[in-house]
Every structure is written in C-alpha cells, then in structure tokens.
Amino acid sequence: MPRRKRNAGSSSDGTEDSDFSTDLEHTDSSESDGTSRRSARVTRSSARLSQSSQDSSPVRNLQSFGAEEPVYSTRRVTRSQQQPTPVTPKKYPLRQTRSSGSETEQVVDFSDRGHLTGKHERHFSISGCPLYHNLSADECKAPSDRQLRYKEKVAELRKKRNSGLSKEQKEKYLEHRQTYGNTREPLLENLTSEYDLDLFRRAQARASEDLEKLRLQGQITEGSNMIKTIAFGRYELDTWYHSPYPEEYARLGRLYMCEFCLKYMKSQTILRRHMAKCVWKHPPGDEIYRKGSISVFEVDGKKNKIYCQNLCLLAKLFLDHKTLYYDVEPFLFYVMTEADNTGCHLIGYFSKEKNSFLNYNVSCILTMPQYMRQGYGKMLIDFSYLLSKVEEKVGSPERPLSDLGLISYRSYWKEVLLRYLHNFQGKEISIKEISQETAVNPVDIVSTLQALQMLKYWKGKHLVLKRQDLIDEWIAKEAKRSNSNKTMDPSCLKWTPPKGT
C-alpha cells in the first residue's frame, strides 16, 4: 500500500484550495523550528516506553505479519487432463467441525508511539497505530496555526450567503428551468456560498481543459463514452461502459431501443413508429425451457446474426471485459425472458462456443440492470451447468470474469458444495466424484473449498472439513427461498445437444 500523506491545503470537511497549498511551501522557518521543539519534548514515561519498543524492529514485525498470509497454488488444466482416465479417484477423509481458522494466531507487536489522530503521544489499539496505517507519528500531528486560520477563513466565506431564497428568486429559477429545460445549467446563485461556487467553476474549467488535451492527443474520439442512457422498454438505464456503436448514434448521448428485436434508434418518434409495425414479441430461435413466465431461447449466431450483434453491443454497455461484438457466428446465445401480456421481456443471456477446446460452458454472461439482485444471475449460471450435465461434460466459465460475474459464480459454487456435503453420508470424499455429479470443474471446486477454509493439509493428507455452521446457514436461506420460483427445473428443459459444425 503506498504511503498516504496528509494534504496541507485540505480542510477537515474535504475542501481543497490550490493557491493555499502553494503558499504553504514558503512558510517561515520560525514556525518549523517551533514545531520541531514541540516534537522534541518527550515525557519521562514516553521515553521509557520508546526505549522498550526499540527492541522490536518494525521491519521484522512486518515480515512476521506477512508470513501469516496463506499461499495458494494454481493448477493448469492441460489437454491430457481433460481426457477420461481409468485411474481410481483419490479418497480424502472427511472431518466434521463447527469452527474454522487457524488454531494459533500470532499477535504483531507494533510500536505504540504516536497516534493516528495526531492528538496523543501513545496509542493502545492497532486501529490508532500510525505504523500500521503506513504513516509516521510526525505525519499524524495536528494542523498548524496557519492551517487553522485558513479553515476559519473558509468557514466565514461560506456563511456569507442568504439564508433562503425569496419568492421572486424562486419564480426566476422556475422560469429559467421551464424555458431551457436540461439544455442549460440551473441558476446557482444564492444556493451556496460564493467561495464554493468559485471552486466548482475552477473544477469545471480544469476538467474541460483536460478533456480538450485528450481529444487533441487522439486518446478520446468524438463518439467515445457519449452514450449515457438508453430507453429500453419501460425502463431508462444508465450505462456503465463504452460500447462501439456507430459514431452517428454514439454521439447522441441517448439511445432508444426496441426491447424485442434490440434495434437501436435516434429518437423517441422513430421508436414509436418502429413499435407500431414491429412483429417481434420474443427472441428468435427455439424455446428450449419454460416454467411459469420464465423462458429460455437458444439463438444461433449464424442464423440470426443481426440480433446477436445488437445483443453484444447492448451487453458491452454493462460489461468491462467484453471483446466480442460482430463475429457472432461461432457462438450460441441462450436468452432468458419473462413473459406478460405484451411479450417476452429480456432478463439476461449467456453465450457459449459451439466447439470449445477447453470445455467452457459460458463465454459471456449478463443480467440486465433492472433484474439484478433478484436471483436471475444465479438462474443463468445454473442453466449453463444444466446444459453441461445433459452433454455429460464438466464445464467452467471463460476467464477473465468480471467483478460481478466472479461474485455470482463464487456464490453458486458455494451453494453447490454445501448442498452436496449436506446430502453426503460417507466418510471419504472425492473431488472427481463431486465434479462428475455437479458438472463443476475440479479447479473451481478446490478454489471454493480453499476460500471457505474447508480444505486443510494435515499429517501428509488433504482433509475436507465439513463445516456445519455454513451448512446450517445455507439450510436457513433455502427455507426462506422455498416459495420462490427463482430455481431451474430440469424437467422443464426440452433440448438436445447441437451437433458440431
């Protein structure tokens, strides 16, 4: 972690002024001498304490602190490992325990000189230790008199504004908003102090200047990162990342999309005319799963190229690590929808290679923002492994995973392993048997066991700890979700694996 230095020109409420930080570089030597004399005064008790604390070196303590971190080994899946081998799977003894973690915990002895607040000469907890926060005791000292005077000056400047808006001013602001709408900035006078308004103008000018420099250097094109919102059905969604839409559409800042055929348009009038004659009410392709209002369609990228390209461009607005946009022919897309009286609305999708050399069962996965945190992402993951079970293969998602994707997969793998251990009655367990029954890659199983602290190496053997506390917690969550329809039913799947092309 890099060392964080205290900004001399920052007030306690986060206000920063560049002119004041420049003036601090030319402080009088008398003030610095006075500060050094104050820091040189050490009481008798603190002197004894510093003498005793010199025996333990901070460097040695930091090394001992780093030695407690676990080391994880990585395994590379080779082509030979994917072929079925007649070798008998290893059996690991299963040990049951209710606690986790190491038996002994090493306490790191940091020096207790100084305090993080800068107000005290000593600290008694690790949270107040400057050394623990990669700082020194001098860097945590209280602000100087010059800084305190500047803070009082800023407080006085902020008080110099009207306590409230008059009736005439409110009418003026309302008339300005009705006249110009969102094409003009609202009137900001008397809403805040002149000092804060001046800081805001400086920040705007500096940001505009930096943007102009990036444009002149060619790092930002005219259409880059210009799409801020999209109108998608009855929702208005804020975008997260840049997507390579054509420049004439990207420069608009707002796109209008048909939620059924995913065609993008420039204005709401064009969208209204399109919806009046659009005959699509569900994704193209074959409906291979239906339970209640939830359906899954299998769309071939070769047969429905335009739809799949539009789906990839839409997904890039919410994914960071996506690179596939137009070359969609080698992929199959599984689109999940929710049906009502108006049609099948897009929930999310995942793509899959027709011929994957490494047996990836997911290439890209996305849940639309309006359906996130409702269990649909886990349904998509479960459906991908359901297809792998029908194919009699072991699957794994393609790397690298996005941040949200990694969280979703970690949660799914955890539930699969806890369900398996809850139903397991034997005394010896095999990673290969778990993989064959759940269709989860053994590497993902081992990494999940390590993350849950359920895999230990003891006396030359690998032990899988059956943590009953985690299993009880999972059972309680399953009981709450028993009435929910956010689960995949294998009996509702009507699908045969496609032949390779």
Side-chain angles (χ1 to χ4, degrees):
M1 179 181 295
R3 174 166 295 186
R4 298 172 295 176
K5 295 186 179 181
R6 187 183 184 96
N7 191 0
S10 300
S11 59
S12 60
D13 53 358
T15 305
E16 180 178 352
D17 187 84
S18 59
D19 297 335
F20 175 68
S21 62
T22 305
D23 295 337
L24 284 181
E25 298 178 359
H26 305 284
T27 54
D28 297 335
S29 59
S30 59
E31 294 183 0
S32 60
D33 295 337
T35 306
S36 61
R37 285 194 298 270
R38 286 195 300 269
S39 61
R41 290 200 283 274
V42 183
T43 59
R44 180 176 302 174
S45 59
S46 62
R48 290 196 301 269
L49 181 62
S50 62
Q51 181 67 25
S52 61
S53 62
Q54 288 177 359
D55 298 335
S56 59
S57 174
V59 177
R60 183 171 63 254
N61 291 333
L62 288 176
Q63 292 176 353
S64 63
F65 180 75
E68 290 296 320
E69 297 183 357
V71 179
Y72 299 100
S73 62
T74 58
R75 286 175 49 190
R76 181 178 179 181
V77 181
T78 61
R79 187 172 183 177
S80 60
Q81 290 175 343
Q82 295 176 1
Q83 303 296 333
T85 56
V87 180
T88 304
K90 282 188 176 182
K91 299 290 186 177
Y92 299 106
L94 182 67
R95 172 174 292 186
Q96 184 159 348
T97 179
R98 286 183 174 270
S99 61
S100 62
S102 59
E103 298 180 356
T104 60
E105 182 178 358
Q106 183 177 357
V107 179
V108 183
D109 183 19
F110 286 100
S111 173
D112 59 352
R113 288 175 294 179
H115 197 277
L116 186 63
T117 60
K119 299 179 180 179
H120 312 288
E121 294 182 355
R122 299 173 59 186
H123 62 270
F124 300 94
S125 62
I126 193 68
S127 60
C129 178
L131 182 60
Y132 176 76
H133 297 282
N134 299 320
L135 298 173
S136 63
D138 294 335
E139 291 175 336
C140 298
K141 288 184 178 180
S144 61
D145 296 338
R146 186 183 182 87
Q147 293 175 339
L148 294 176
R149 287 196 302 268
Y150 179 76
K151 181 180 178 181
E152 295 175 358
K153 178 182 176 182
V154 171
E156 293 178 359
L157 291 173
R158 287 178 172 169
K159 291 180 180 179
K160 293 181 180 179
R161 71 180 184 93
N162 296 333
S163 58
L165 298 177
S166 63
K167 184 177 180 181
E168 297 178 354
Q169 291 175 336
K170 291 182 179 179
E171 293 178 354
K172 180 181 177 182
Y173 291 173
L174 183 60
E175 181 182 359
H176 181 273
R177 173 56 63 192
Q178 293 177 351
T179 303
Y180 298 103
N182 294 327
T183 60
R184 294 283 185 88
E185 183 185 68
L187 299 178
L188 302 179
E189 287 76 11
N190 295 325
L191 291 178
T192 184
S193 65
E194 296 182 358
Y195 174 80
D196 290 330
L197 184 58
D198 183 57
L199 285 181
F200 177 67
R201 297 299 186 198
R202 291 184 187 180
Q204 282 183 320
R206 186 176 300 175
S208 177
E209 185 179 2
D210 294 340
L211 185 61
E212 293 293 337
K213 291 180 180 179
L214 292 176
R215 289 183 184 275
L216 292 176
Q217 294 174 1
Q219 299 182 12
I220 297 182
T221 59
E222 186 66 25
S224 297
N225 297 327
M226 297 299 292
I227 300 177
K228 301 301 181 184
T229 59
I230 59 173
F232 192 80
R234 61 179 183 271
Y235 298 99
E236 181 178 346
L237 306 177
D238 295 331
T239 61
W240 300 351
Y241 303 101
H242 165 66
S243 183
Y245 280 94
E247 186 176 352
E248 56 179 326
Y249 293 91
R251 69 174 59 182
L252 297 175
R254 180 186 177 91
L255 281 184
Y256 298 85
M257 294 187 184
C258 175
E259 60 176 333
F260 300 115
C261 68
L262 304 184
K263 182 180 179 181
Y264 46 90
M265 287 147 277
K266 294 182 178 181
S267 65
Q268 189 173 5
T269 304
I270 301 177
L271 176 63
R272 192 183 302 114
R273 293 177 180 175
H274 170 82
M275 296 300 296
K277 58 184 179 181
C278 184
V279 296
W280 290 36
K281 296 301 178 184
H282 60 79
D286 302 326
E287 184 180 15
I288 62 175
Y289 179 90
R290 180 189 291 184
K291 182 180 179 182
S293 60
I294 303 298
S295 299
V296 179
F297 293 82
E298 183 183 54
V299 185
D300 193 340
K302 187 175 182 180
K303 297 178 181 179
N304 303 277
K305 189 174 182 179
I306 301 300
Y307 177 86
C308 295
Q309 287 177 350
N310 291 338
L311 182 61
C312 290
L313 289 174
L314 173 63
K316 184 59 182 73
L317 294 172
F318 308 102
L319 294 177
D320 188 18
H321 297 286
K322 184 171 179 59
T323 57
L324 173 68
Y325 311 119
Y326 298 105
D327 187 17
V328 296
E329 296 181 1
F331 293 87
L332 292 171
F333 295 81
Y334 296 90
V335 184
M336 180 178 289
T337 61
E338 183 179 21
D340 58 11
N341 55 359
T342 61
C344 297
H345 304 279
L346 177 64
I347 294 178
Y349 86 98
F350 68 88
S351 60
K352 178 180 179 180
E353 282 188 274
K354 297 177 182 177
N355 298 309
S356 177
F357 176 72
L358 296 176
N359 286 336
Y360 288 138
N361 60 358
V362 168
S363 295
C364 178
I365 187 170
L366 169 73
T367 305
M368 294 297 291
Q370 66 269 29
Y371 290 101
M372 286 184 177
R373 302 183 65 84
Q374 300 179 31
Y376 291 107
K378 196 166 295 182
M379 290 178 65
L380 285 170
I381 298 175
D382 194 14
F383 188 77
S384 67
Y385 281 102
L386 179 60
L387 298 182
S388 298
K389 292 178 183 178
V390 176
E391 293 177 324
E392 297 181 353
K393 294 181 179 179
V394 174
S396 179
E398 185 176 348
R399 268 70 170 183
L401 290 171
S402 62
D403 297 337
L404 296 178
L406 181 59
I407 293 174
S408 300
Y409 268 97
R410 282 290 188 190
S411 177
Y412 175 78
W413 293 332
K414 175 183 176 181
E415 289 189 3
V416 168
L417 290 176
L418 293 180
R419 184 184 295 110
Y420 184 89
L421 292 175
H422 176 65
N423 299 326
F424 185 76
Q425 301 298 331
K427 294 184 178 180
E428 291 185 351
I429 198 168
S430 171
I431 301 297
K432 186 176 181 180
E433 291 178 358
I434 299 176
S435 176
Q436 292 176 349
E437 184 172 340
T438 61
V440 181
N441 192 286
V443 178
D444 300 331
I445 295 176
V446 172
S447 64
T448 305
L449 290 174
Q450 290 177 343
L452 297 176
Q453 297 182 358
M454 297 175 65
L455 189 64
K456 300 293 183 181
Y457 185 78
W458 184 69
K459 290 185 178 180
K461 296 181 180 180
H462 289 279
L463 303 179
V464 177
L465 305 181
K466 187 177 180 181
R467 293 183 54 185
Q468 194 63 34
D469 54 344
L470 294 179
I471 296 177
D472 294 340
E473 183 181 353
W474 168 77
I475 294 175
K477 289 183 178 180
E478 286 293 316
K480 293 181 181 179
R481 293 184 299 188
S482 59
N483 299 328
S484 176
N485 296 325
K486 305 297 178 57
T487 56
M488 303 302 294
D489 189 357
S491 62
C492 298
L493 177 64
K494 308 298 180 184
W495 179 74
T496 57
K499 297 181 180 180
T501 56

